[in-house]
């Protein structure tokens, strides 16, 4: 289409953005499929080098320090594996009650896989801010949405807050200025129709064909609505939501500990064992791969170099993500709200915000692998302690 003389510049630009969006969607599916295997291979491979090679080489003369390093490394490895499983197995999806069954008939009966590819991740949840005017619907109407559906949204909000929508954060009667464009229908030509809703209102989900509460977003990778959706984690292949966010924070904390501990042992070990004999150019890819194929570098050393680079990379990734997510937790935000600059003010004290996500016994959740007896204090539906 780029060389079609019958198409204008605007039409070419629109088709280019559509093609780019579809490629981005395919990339998300590939990342979701292969990134967990990469992390698992680094977790196992780096720990094997740490426990079987680096620690014995550095501490063989001091049995006490050798035992401490081995036991602590095993403890951190168990923490990572257990919390990874808890993130993956803990369900944060929205399970509506019988009162939401009436919303099923208001949305389209089915959405084809080709049409669902139009919405990947957080794309349907674009947030705009208007500081001067209250909520007003967009003029375009959708065949899948009607005034009856608008009334159902307001009734659901009123029932949840005992008949007074002003009790809810950002209810329909508060004049909230944060808006969210939500997909409400698909035309016969495949174009997605969207409607503007207040961010803190109940909104429709076109794919699940029901209403969803505030802060709940649909993920097309997980194929479900997630309560208090923070983001989709490619390392665990699930969305981070209200129930598994605490496991995610603990996982990031111990990931920082493991990558820093293993790097402190493996970097000196690699310098002494590999680069004291072989060229420093072997630290770069694909130079080290060519050296292995030519027989100048052992395959085991190539694996060691790759593990060291992966540890350094994952250390900075874990540190950056932990810093951002801890900041969001202490501010009462989600990563989605942080990325879109939605100003949310929690009326809870600072320490209580941490307990709302981690549970009352958050210290035990950090120290004990698999501790699940301290559920979060948030239910993911009502937000009485949030001030927009």
């Amino acid at each position: 289409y780029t060389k079609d003389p019958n198409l204008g510049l605007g039409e070419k630009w629109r088709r280019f953005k559509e093609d780019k969006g579809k490629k981005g969607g395919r990339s998300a599916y590939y990342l979701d499929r292969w990134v967990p295997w990469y992390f698992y291979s680094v977790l196992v491979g780096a720990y094997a080098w740490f426990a079987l090679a680096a620690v014995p080489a550095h501490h063989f003369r001091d049995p006490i320090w050798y035992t401490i390093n081995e036991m602590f490394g095993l403890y951190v490895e168990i923490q990572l594996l257990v919390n990874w499983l808890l993130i993956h197995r803990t369900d944060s999806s929205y399970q509506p009650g019988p009162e939401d069954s009436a919303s099923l008939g208001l949305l389209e009966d089915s959405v084809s896989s080709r049409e669902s590819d139009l919405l990947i991740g957080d794309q349907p949840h674009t947030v705009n801010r208007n500081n001067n005017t209250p909520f007003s619907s967009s003029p375009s109407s959708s065949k899948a949405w009607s005034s009856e559906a608008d009334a159902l949204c307001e009734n659901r909000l009123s029932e949840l807050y005992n008949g007074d929508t002003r009790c809810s954060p950002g209810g329909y009667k508060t004049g909230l200025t944060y808006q969210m464009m939500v997909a409400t229908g698909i035309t016969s030509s495949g174009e997605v129709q969207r409607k503007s809703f207040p961010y803190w209102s109940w909104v429709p989900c076109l794919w699940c064909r029901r209403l969803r509460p505030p802060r709940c977003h649909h993920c097309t990778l997980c194929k479900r609505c997630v309560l208090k959706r923070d983001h989709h984690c490619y390392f665990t292949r699930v969305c981070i939501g209200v129930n598994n966010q605490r496991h995610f924070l603990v996982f990031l904390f111990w990931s920082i500990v493991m990558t820093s501990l293993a790097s402190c042992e493996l970097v000196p070990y690699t310098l002494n064992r590999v680069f004291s004999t072989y060229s420093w150019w072997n630290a770069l890819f694909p130079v080290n791969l060519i050296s292995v194929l030519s027989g100048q570098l052992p395959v085991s050393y190539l694996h060691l170099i790759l593990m060291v680079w992966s540890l350094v990379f994952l250390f900075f990734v874990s540190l950056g993500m932990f810093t951002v997510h801890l900041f969001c937790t202490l501010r009462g935000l989600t990563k989605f709200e942080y990325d879109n600059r939605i100003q949310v003010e929690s009326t809870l004290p600072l320490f209580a915000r941490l307990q709302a996500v981690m549970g009352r016994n958050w210290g035990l959740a950090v120290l004990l692998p698999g501790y699940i007896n301290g559920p979060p204090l948030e239910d993911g539906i009502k937000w009485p302690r949030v001030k927009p």
Side-chain angles (χ1 to χ4, degrees):
Y1 60 84
T2 56
K3 298 182 180 180
D4 190 349
N6 297 323
L7 294 178
L9 182 61
E11 180 65 17
K12 291 181 179 179
W13 176 250
R14 186 184 68 82
R15 296 190 180 185
F16 171 77
K17 290 194 296 183
E18 289 180 356
D19 291 345
K20 186 177 181 181
K22 293 178 181 178
K23 292 180 181 178
R26 289 193 294 268
S27 299
Y29 284 106
Y30 291 142
L31 287 173
D32 193 56
R33 181 176 181 179
W34 295 111
V35 168
W37 290 104
Y38 164 74
F39 178 80
Y40 183 77
S41 63
V42 174
L43 193 65
V44 175
Y47 177 73
W49 280 104
F50 168 83
L52 302 178
V55 173
H58 292 161
H59 309 290
F60 68 95
R61 294 181 179 179
D62 189 349
I64 296 179
W65 192 243
Y66 168 81
T67 304
I68 291 175
N69 275 269
E70 291 284 7
M71 295 301 295
F72 185 70
L74 179 61
Y75 168 74
V76 177
E77 185 79 0
I78 294 174
Q79 282 278 12
L80 287 176
L81 290 175
V82 170
N83 283 283
W84 188 93
L85 290 174
L86 288 175
I87 295 172
H88 186 74
R89 302 285 296 184
T90 304
D91 187 18
S92 295
S93 60
Y94 172 53
Q95 303 295 334
E99 64 275 8
D100 295 314
S101 59
S103 66
L104 295 177
L106 297 175
L107 300 176
E108 292 185 342
D109 293 333
S110 63
V111 179
S112 65
S113 59
R114 179 185 64 83
E115 291 167 339
S116 65
D117 288 339
L118 296 173
L119 299 177
I120 299 296
D122 293 332
Q123 289 183 8
H125 311 299
T126 304
V127 177
N128 300 315
R129 186 178 185 184
N130 181 355
N131 291 321
N132 299 320
T133 59
F135 161 68
S136 62
S137 302
S138 59
S140 61
S141 61
S142 170
K143 65 178 182 179
W145 198 249
S146 62
S147 58
E148 182 184 359
D150 279 327
L152 181 61
C153 277
E154 188 164 357
N155 290 338
R156 184 71 187 93
L157 195 68
S158 177
E159 293 172 1
L160 189 64
Y161 289 94
N162 299 322
D164 187 3
T165 57
R166 293 173 297 178
C167 297
S168 64
Y172 273 72
K173 300 178 182 179
T174 61
L176 182 64
T177 57
Y178 284 104
Q179 305 291 309
M180 181 171 62
M181 299 301 296
V182 180
T184 55
I186 297 180
T187 63
S188 57
S189 61
E191 295 182 357
V192 179
Q193 293 183 332
R194 292 178 171 86
K195 184 182 179 69
S196 178
F197 289 88
Y199 180 70
W200 290 97
S201 69
W202 284 68
V203 297
C205 178
L206 179 61
W207 317 122
C208 296
R209 297 183 292 112
R210 65 191 180 205
L211 301 179
R212 62 172 182 251
R215 280 183 156 182
C216 179
H217 305 297
H218 185 89
C219 176
T220 53
L221 292 175
C222 297
K223 300 185 184 301
R224 58 188 176 182
C225 289
V226 180
L227 291 172
K228 195 190 175 184
R229 184 179 185 272
D230 191 90
H231 71 287
H232 184 87
C233 178
Y234 292 111
F235 288 98
T236 56
R237 203 179 288 171
V238 294
C239 275
I240 306 302
V242 64
N243 293 324
N244 59 359
Q245 186 179 6
R246 55 185 178 137
H247 303 306
F248 181 70
L249 286 172
V250 177
F251 173 78
L252 289 178
F253 172 77
W254 288 112
S255 180
I256 295 173
V257 175
M258 184 62 192
T259 52
S260 59
L261 177 65
S263 297
C264 289
E265 294 288 345
L266 288 181
V267 170
Y269 179 82
T270 306
L271 295 177
N272 295 330
R273 291 300 179 95
V274 180
F275 298 115
S276 61
T277 305
Y278 300 93
S279 172
W280 283 90
W281 287 103
N282 288 312
L284 303 177
F285 187 85
V287 176
N288 44 28
L289 179 60
I290 296 175
S291 299
V292 169
L293 295 177
S294 61
Q296 300 178 7
L297 184 70
V299 178
S300 60
Y301 284 172
L302 173 63
H303 183 260
L304 175 60
I305 293 172
L306 293 178
M307 289 299 101
V308 171
W309 279 116
S310 296
L311 283 174
V312 175
F313 168 72
L314 290 176
F315 169 75
F316 287 105
V317 171
S318 301
L319 182 62
M321 294 183 65
F322 180 76
T323 303
V324 172
H325 284 275
L326 183 61
F327 169 80
C328 291
T329 300
L330 296 179
R331 288 287 304 274
L333 295 169
T334 64
K335 185 65 165 54
F336 174 82
E337 295 161 352
Y338 174 79
D339 291 338
N340 291 279
R341 300 180 181 179
I342 302 176
Q343 297 180 4
V344 178
E345 181 181 349
S346 176
T347 59
L348 292 171
L350 182 64
F351 189 73
R353 297 174 197 174
L354 183 64
Q355 288 183 322
V357 174
M358 299 290 296
R360 298 188 186 277
N361 301 322
W362 63 271
L364 294 177
V366 174
L367 297 177
L368 297 181
Y371 182 81
I372 57 175
N373 293 326
L377 305 183
E378 301 170 331
D379 62 0
I381 298 178
K382 297 181 180 180
W383 303 102
R385 304 301 299 271
V386 173
K387 179 181 178 182

